[in-house]
Amino acid sequence: RRSRARVMTTDDEVAEGDLHGRAMPVLNQDDVDALARAVQPILDSDEAVRRWCTRANVERFLRADRGNLAKATKRLTDTLKWRVAERPETRVCSACINKDLRSHYMNFVGWDRRGRALVYSDIGLAKDKTPSTNAEHCMQVLELLEPNLRPFPNDQYVWVVDFHQFSVYDMNPSVASACLGLFARSYPERLAGMIMVGAPMLFNGLYRAVCAFADPVTVKKVRFVVGPDGKGGGKAFDPVMDEFFDAETKAWLAAEMTENRKRWKEVAKRKSWMAATFAGRGSTHGWWQTLQPSKTKPPEPPVEGEGGHDIRGCESFRACDAFKNVAQAVRSRGAHGALTSRLADLAPEGIPEPEE
């Protein structure tokens, strides 16, 4: 097995299955300068993209295209124009703040052993299956990550995806296409790897379809892991979690996945990261249900997380600056939502004031 200490390779490509290596750690600085000059007219016309397009980001785009200046110029130019048009740094997921607080369950919840961001998602907990809004939620997560990432070579995230309730309703390849297209175009070299937990045989067909159009570099970054309940295919759960995460973060992941399996009927109707982030409390679920009343049933009582489990991340993560930055950004950007604008009246302890 490759040493955990290995963080970079002098080769143009990282070996398949290596979620620790980085290609092209040393770039030709003349090419970096040339790429920066090529996009300068766009930067001169817009203050927001000028602040975003740091030298580190210019290097990232050149690295993504393995030093090919022409390809990197096109990709970065397209991304800058997209950022001017869409203003992703100001937005949150419209489905999560307007339609259903449980629309998606993909969030920034911690760090791996190398200080790379940890993104966790549970496919079954996501109620929305629309390609465009799933891509919008991915954009939200990545924009919240960007200002909080560590310097190269740890300026990436590891994505842990739980498949325990994966069903035929999740088989639309257009969802994967929309998200992977966004990653490739506007967030290259951010994904360190995907750890797919408990993927059933049903997923095999979708995976083959996705591999046909996905970036081959992304496909190389996938690992399959057996779930904590022993289901699904892949490597054993504990060794992979130990490879990537410290004991506290591993325990949080195991607690989250186990709770979702053992208490599915309770938590599936109540868990909302958006509501938890607005309220500053991630261990009580369902207190917000009167915002989304059922036409046939009265609101059900809230439930507590198993042993005080907090869906926003482990204790040390919740104490770090990045967590506070994300919470403040979400409350600010989502304050106008049809649902989120009314959360303050229902939150058990009110909405926390922004920290100085």
Side-chain angles (χ1 to χ4, degrees), residues 39 41-50 52 76-91 186:
V39 298
I42 301 177
L43 306 187
D44 290 340
S45 69
D46 190 275
E47 177 64 19
V49 294
R50 187 190 67 78
W52 176 85
L76 182 53
T77 298
D78 290 346
T79 293
L80 292 172
K81 291 179 178 179
W82 171 78
R83 295 190 70 88
V84 170
E86 298 295 330
R87 299 299 180 193
E89 73 280 3
T90 68
R91 292 169 52 185
S186 298

Side-chain angles (χ1 to χ4, degrees), residues 176-228:
S177 176
C179 296
L180 292 175
L182 175 71
F183 298 160
R185 181 192 69 238
S186 298
Y187 301 96
E189 285 292 300
R190 284 300 191 215
L191 178 63
M194 296 179 69
I195 301 175
M196 297 186 173
V197 181
M201 290 187 65
L202 177 65
F203 177 64
N204 291 348
L206 177 61
Y207 184 67
R208 286 193 294 270
V210 170
C211 287
F213 61 76
D215 182 348
V217 175
T218 300
V219 174
K220 289 180 180 180
K221 296 178 177 181
V222 174
R223 283 203 199 175
F224 288 93
V225 178
V226 174

Side-chain angles (χ1 to χ4, degrees), residues 20 63 78 187 216 297 339:
H20 300 291
R63 184 172 291 111
D78 290 346
Y187 301 96
K297 298 179 181 179
L339 297 175

Side-chain angles (χ1 to χ4, degrees), residues 100-118:
D100 191 329
L101 292 165
R102 305 159 301 172
S103 290
H104 305 107
Y105 203 79
M106 172 190 179
N107 311 299
F108 174 27
V109 298
W111 309 103
D112 78 347
R113 287 186 180 276
R114 288 190 31 210
R116 299 176 298 189
L118 164 61

Side-chain angles (χ1 to χ4, degrees), residues 143-211:
E143 287 298 315
L144 292 171
L145 285 177
E146 290 258 334
N148 299 291
L149 293 174
R150 311 290 167 81
F152 179 85
N154 297 322
D155 55 336
Q156 293 184 305
Y157 66 97
V158 175
W159 186 4
V160 176
V161 187
D162 193 352
F163 281 79
H164 77 107
Q165 285 288 331
F166 184 86
S167 71
V168 293
Y169 299 106
D170 301 300
M171 290 290 287
N172 184 359
S174 296
V175 174
S177 176
C179 296
L180 292 175
L182 175 71
F183 298 160
R185 181 192 69 238
S186 298
Y187 301 96
E189 285 292 300
R190 284 300 191 215
L191 178 63
M194 296 179 69
I195 301 175
M196 297 186 173
V197 181
M201 290 187 65
L202 177 65
F203 177 64
N204 291 348
L206 177 61
Y207 184 67
R208 286 193 294 270
V210 170
C211 287

Side-chain angles (χ1 to χ4, degrees), residues 221-279:
K221 296 178 177 181
V222 174
R223 283 203 199 175
F224 288 93
V225 178
V226 174
D229 54 359
K231 296 182 179 180
K235 296 184 177 180
F237 183 83
D238 283 335
V240 175
M241 294 298 112
D242 288 334
E243 177 184 347
F244 285 91
F245 308 110
D246 63 21
E248 186 187 18
T249 304
K250 175 190 172 184
W252 182 92
L253 285 165
E256 173 71 22
M257 295 180 195
T258 300
E259 179 176 79
N260 292 342
R261 285 159 171 76
K262 289 185 175 180
R263 300 177 61 190
W264 178 252
K265 290 184 179 180
E266 286 184 289
V267 300
K269 296 180 285 189
R270 295 174 172 90
K271 276 192 173 182
S272 166
W273 180 88
M274 185 64 72
T277 300
F278 260 79

Side-chain angles (χ1 to χ4, degrees), residues 314-328:
C314 65
E315 185 176 359
S316 64
F317 175 66
R318 301 195 310 272
C320 76
D321 289 340
F323 173 83
K324 298 170 186 176
N325 294 340
V326 167
Q328 187 168 341

